[in-house]
Amino acid sequence: MIGGLSAVDTAIFILAIGDGIQQASDRQISPPYLMPMSRVVKPVVVMVIVQIANAWMNVLYKLAVNDGMSLRVAVAYRYIFATAFIAPLAYILERKTRTKMTWTILFQSFLCGLFGGALAQNLQMEALALTSVTFATAISNLIPAITFILSLFFGMEKLNMRKAAGKAKIIGTMTGIGGAMLMTFYKGVEVKMLSFHINLFNQRNGGGSSHGGGGLFLVGAVSSFFFNASYALWLIIQAKMSSAYPYPYSSTALMCLMAALLSVIFTFCVERDLSQWKLGWNVRLFTVAYAGIVVSGVMVAVTSWCLRMKGPLFVSVFSPLMLVVVAFAGSTILDEKLYLGSIIGSLLIVCGLYLVLWGKSKEMVKNELVPMCHQ
């Protein structure tokens, strides 16, 4: 809940705001000092809420896994809930403007559901189960760097070492990867943080320590890296799909539907215990409902509004905030141990992230100025 509103009420409220400023977003945006204060502050507040909501999703995932819930069942339920929530919104908001569906769009939605949904989330859940929420969240900040590498491979980006922007993206990518390797292979001394002395793992595993059992931790780290690669590949496919099918709610509904179908099929193939599908009034139901409705539903609408208002670079800048929230929650509530290697590695990853974003912003400004020079 946000400000006393339920998840559905919050979504309707945000969507109403977004629709109200849709025409304004198509016009030239005034400088910040000429904008009303609400236009400046509102996107910042919204993105802070988005990052906090995403951070708590990782915490809840960890609790559900510790409660004995199957990783694959959790992913399947997440996209079932997400589809049930976002599909009616897509029908209501875009039924009059949506163009006819083509086989190309349908195939792209299948790829989005695979790489951005079923495969990515199953890898992330494996990483959360074998490492820690702090580690998995920190490694996710490598996504812009991995996206840059894949974009180079597919010819969507050009490597220009003569320009400061090109150098920043290369140095940022190498810095982020170095930070991830440091987090994976170096532990260091334990860093004590404030603790509420609440051990939410007492029922099952008896602890939230993530660095015991080096072999399993390494498997979790590899899963986290492959999750980032899968998610980065989804971003590239999604960019192609959005240019041909510019309907965010409909494309999200299609992706969630494909992800739900793929996840259910995969889960039935590998998970033979049908009792895992039972949801009671416990942390399992709350986790999958929260992940599906709030994160994949409400937060998608909120992020879409921010993208229209401020652009993708503004949205990306807030990513490290989730790491701060997760690190605090992991150490104080989940009783996870925080080590010096994790702190230094996280700082390197965040520095690398901002270097890549800075380089990309410089290129975007240059590309916008070139057409103006020819007018």
Side-chain angles (χ1 to χ4, degrees):
M1 298 177 68
I2 300 174
L5 297 175
S6 67
V8 177
D9 292 333
T10 304
I12 295 173
F13 175 72
I14 294 296
L15 288 172
I17 296 175
D19 291 339
I21 64 163
Q22 177 66 46
Q23 295 179 352
S25 66
D26 295 332
R27 298 192 298 266
Q28 184 176 358
I29 303 299
S30 302
Y33 55 82
L34 296 179
M35 290 183 182
M37 184 57 66
S38 61
R39 291 283 298 276
V40 178
V41 175
K42 194 179 296 180
V44 175
V45 173
V46 164
M47 283 311 303
V48 169
I49 294 173
V50 168
Q51 295 303 323
I52 293 174
N54 289 337
W56 280 106
M57 179 194 69
N58 285 346
V59 174
L60 288 172
Y61 266 158
K62 189 75 173 180
L63 292 175
V65 169
N66 185 79
D67 190 59
M69 187 175 191
S70 167
L71 303 171
R72 298 160 186 86
V73 171
V75 173
Y77 267 128
R78 169 181 178 166
Y79 286 109
I80 291 172
F81 275 88
T83 303
F85 177 81
I86 202 71
L89 287 179
Y91 176 77
I92 294 171
L93 297 172
E94 296 175 342
R95 68 183 186 278
K96 295 182 179 179
T97 58
R98 187 171 51 241
T99 57
K100 186 179 180 180
M101 178 68 59
T102 64
W103 286 106
T104 301
I105 298 298
L106 200 60
F107 179 66
Q108 288 175 337
S109 354
F110 169 80
L111 294 178
C112 286
L114 174 63
F115 292 109
L119 178 60
Q121 288 304 314
N122 273 286
L123 288 170
Q124 185 192 34
M125 290 291 284
E126 196 70 30
L128 284 171
L130 298 178
T131 61
S132 69
V133 289
T134 304
F135 179 89
T137 305
I139 297 298
S140 68
N141 284 293
L142 283 175
I143 290 174
I146 296 176
T147 305
F148 170 63
I149 295 173
L150 290 176
S151 297
L152 284 175
F153 179 78
F154 288 111
M156 301 174 67
E157 291 272 358
K158 294 183 179 179
L159 187 61
N160 189 353
M161 292 297 293
R162 296 181 179 180
K163 300 293 184 180
K167 293 178 181 178
K169 290 195 293 185
I170 291 296
I171 295 173
T173 300
M174 294 176 64
T175 302
I177 293 174
M181 293 180 66
L182 184 65
M183 289 187 68
T184 304
F185 298 108
Y186 174 71
K187 180 186 295 186
V189 298
E190 182 180 349
V191 178
K192 299 291 185 179
M193 287 186 65
L194 171 69
S195 177
F196 297 143
H197 302 288
I198 301 174
N199 186 1
L200 298 181
F201 289 118
N202 282 334
Q203 295 180 357
R204 296 272 179 175
N205 298 338
S209 178
S210 60
H211 283 66
L216 290 177
F217 182 83
L218 186 59
V219 172
V222 172
S223 297
S224 189
F225 284 121
F226 276 107
F227 156 71
N228 290 331
S230 180
Y231 198 86
L233 187 58
W234 165 70
L235 289 176
I236 295 173
I237 299 171
Q238 182 65 40
K240 292 285 187 181
M241 180 178 174
S242 297
S243 62
Y245 196 71
Y247 309 102
Y249 301 104
S250 297
S251 61
T252 302
L254 281 171
M255 172 187 165
C256 289
L257 176 61
M258 294 295 182
L261 292 174
L262 289 169
S263 299
V264 169
I265 293 172
F266 174 68
T267 303
F268 273 120
C269 290
V270 298
E271 182 62 66
R272 302 304 173 90
D273 185 6
L274 296 181
S275 64
Q276 283 287 345
W277 290 90
K278 295 180 180 178
L279 294 177
W281 294 101
N282 50 28
V283 68
R284 301 188 187 192
L285 174 61
F286 183 72
T287 297
V288 295
Y290 180 88
I293 297 174
V294 177
V295 177
S296 295
V298 176
M299 293 305 124
V300 166
V302 170
T303 305
S304 298
W305 176 76
C306 281
L307 284 169
R308 290 203 305 266
M309 283 287 291
K310 294 292 186 178
L313 191 63
F314 175 86
V315 172
S316 300
V317 165
F318 287 85
S319 297
L321 177 61
M322 183 169 68
L323 174 59
V324 176
V325 177
V326 165
F328 178 79
S331 298
T332 58
I333 298 177
L334 299 183
D335 197 30
E336 291 183 345
K337 291 180 173 61
L338 189 62
Y339 296 96
L340 181 62
S342 297
I343 295 177
I344 298 175
S346 298
L347 289 175
L348 288 174
I349 290 174
V350 172
C351 289
L353 167 69
Y354 281 123
L355 278 172
V356 173
L357 292 177
W358 181 85
K360 190 62 182 176
S361 67
K362 289 294 183 182
E363 289 183 347
M364 291 171 65
V365 170
K366 180 181 177 181
N367 291 337
E368 290 175 359
L369 290 177
V370 169
M372 295 176 62
C373 294
H374 293 283
Q375 290 181 356

